[in-house]
Amino acid sequence: MQRDDPLPSWRAGGTRDALEEFLAAAEQVPIADRVAYFDNDGTLWCERPSYVQLDFFLDSLRKRVAVDPSIGERAEFAALLTGDQAGVAEIGLEHVALALAGLFDCMTPEEFASAAREFMSGAAHATLGRPIRSVTYQPMLELVAELRRRDFTVGIVTGGGTEFVRAISDGLYGVPAELVVGTLIGYDVSRDGQGPPVIRRNSGLLGVANEGSAKVANIQTQLGRRPILAAGNSGGDREMLEWAQATGFPSLALLIDHDDAEREFQYTSTAQTFAETEPITDVGARLGWTVVSMARDWEVIFPAVP
């Protein structure tokens, strides 16, 4: 390994070869078409044993309940606070997510972003013994940096809440807020007398959860630029990876396989809002994607903690 290697955490082998071949071929692609989009949960950072955004919501819920215990009596919140997974499943993930989003009703975007950043600055991961802000994947950080060095536009296309990811994406990945596409929450616009318009959150969704075909549609409507590299880890990313693979330019569909129980977690990631007919790792193998084995292809998983 060379000291100036831009991808030091990627071990030698077929996966690294595919990355390097793509990067070399992309030099012939017009800069305007050098676009890469990454899923976030399970692709850029750890999503187990629970999503980071869910941890943020639960932290906020516990703080509210400490002040007003009656809040915890709502069925969705009671199931979450007691760890009643069967109850959460019976209520439905969408209803639970909307109830949690309601905790932030009437907040301005700035107030919500401040709360998200405050949580990220001090929270610890439940099982890994490290700050939550450091559960990003070091090899993916290196890849993002190298793509940017090669004049790629790098964005995040996530099933998570747009505003939560926007609040932290620049600090974690160098991705500005305007290049984050996620599940959209609604806003109400009002005036206080003759003052300027004020926007505040409500708990309604704009459109549907940003998974599956919605990712492709939302990339087009919100960003307007098709990727030649797309990276994901679940069935919720399938259409985005297939779309990138079919551009006509040199392309790369990158799938992260969580197969390292010792250093992270071992599981096959699935979509959250629809059923899949085939494990995504089987899909990736069948369609010729580059399937990244965490256990085999990554020298380290997480960055060093200062």
Side-chain angles (χ1 to χ4, degrees):
M1 183 181 300
Q2 300 296 321
R3 285 197 305 169
D4 59 353
D5 179 4
L7 304 172
S9 299
W10 293 81
R11 290 172 173 155
T15 297
R16 182 177 173 119
D17 290 345
L19 276 179
E20 292 177 340
E21 289 169 9
F22 167 76
L23 292 171
E27 292 291 322
Q28 306 306 313
V29 176
I31 289 177
D33 295 306
R34 296 182 198 174
V35 178
Y37 296 139
F38 292 77
D39 171 56
N40 188 44
D41 293 308
T43 300
L44 289 176
W45 71 3
C46 181
E47 65 181 359
R48 292 292 177 99
S50 60
Y51 295 112
V52 174
Q53 185 172 355
L54 177 58
D55 293 339
F56 165 62
F57 281 160
L58 287 174
D59 180 70
S60 299
L61 174 59
R62 293 185 183 105
K63 289 176 179 176
R64 298 286 187 90
V65 170
V67 175
D68 181 1
S70 67
I71 293 174
E73 296 173 4
R74 181 171 173 173
E76 296 95 328
F77 296 159
L80 287 168
L81 291 169
T82 60
D84 181 5
Q85 297 300 318
V88 170
E90 183 178 352
I91 294 167
L93 185 61
E94 183 175 353
H95 288 290
V96 171
L98 289 175
L100 288 168
L103 294 171
F104 302 92
D105 271 359
C106 298
M107 273 193 178
T108 66
E110 294 79 12
E111 289 168 342
F112 180 82
S114 178
R117 291 173 185 139
E118 181 180 358
F119 169 78
M120 289 296 297
S121 70
H125 188 273
T127 63
L128 293 174
R130 58 171 47 234
I132 274 188
R133 65 181 180 275
S134 72
V135 298
T136 51
Y137 298 138
Q138 178 63 27
M140 300 302 277
L141 296 178
E142 294 168 3
L143 177 57
V144 166
E146 179 61 10
L147 288 167
R148 195 172 285 120
R149 191 185 72 81
R150 292 172 179 261
D151 296 316
F152 271 77
T153 296
V154 178
I156 296 174
V157 182
T158 175
T162 303
E163 302 297 346
F164 178 79
V165 179
R166 282 178 174 169
I168 60 178
S169 62
D170 199 0
L172 289 179
Y173 312 118
V175 174
E178 64 268 22
L179 288 175
V180 174
V181 174
T183 299
L184 290 167
I185 199 74
Y187 281 97
D188 297 318
V189 181
S190 62
R191 287 182 183 273
D192 183 8
Q194 298 302 311
V198 176
I199 61 173
R200 298 186 183 278
R201 291 170 59 95
N202 62 46
S203 55
L205 287 184
L206 289 180
V208 298
N210 193 43
E211 278 202 311
S213 59
K215 285 199 170 187
V216 174
N218 288 336
I219 288 169
Q220 183 58 41
T221 56
Q222 296 178 44
L223 300 177
R225 296 177 68 189
R226 184 174 181 172
I228 62 172
L229 182 156
N233 76 307
S234 80
D237 304 310
R238 176 174 175 171
E239 284 80 0
M240 180 173 70
L241 269 67
E242 288 183 291
W243 195 44
Q245 196 178 31
T247 60
F249 289 116
S251 62
L252 186 67
L254 202 64
L255 182 74
I256 308 302
D257 183 12
H258 298 265
D259 61 352
D260 195 326
E262 181 178 346
R263 296 185 298 173
E264 202 232 15
F265 299 93
Q266 185 165 6
Y267 64 99
T268 299
S269 190
T270 57
Q272 295 299 302
T273 59
F274 58 85
E276 300 168 48
T277 59
E278 185 179 8
I280 193 61
T281 47
D282 292 351
V283 173
R286 178 168 54 79
L287 296 182
W289 298 349
T290 298
V291 180
V292 178
S293 162
M294 282 188 164
R296 182 185 65 249
D297 294 322
W298 287 358
E299 186 68 28
V300 299
I301 304 288
F302 303 111
V305 177

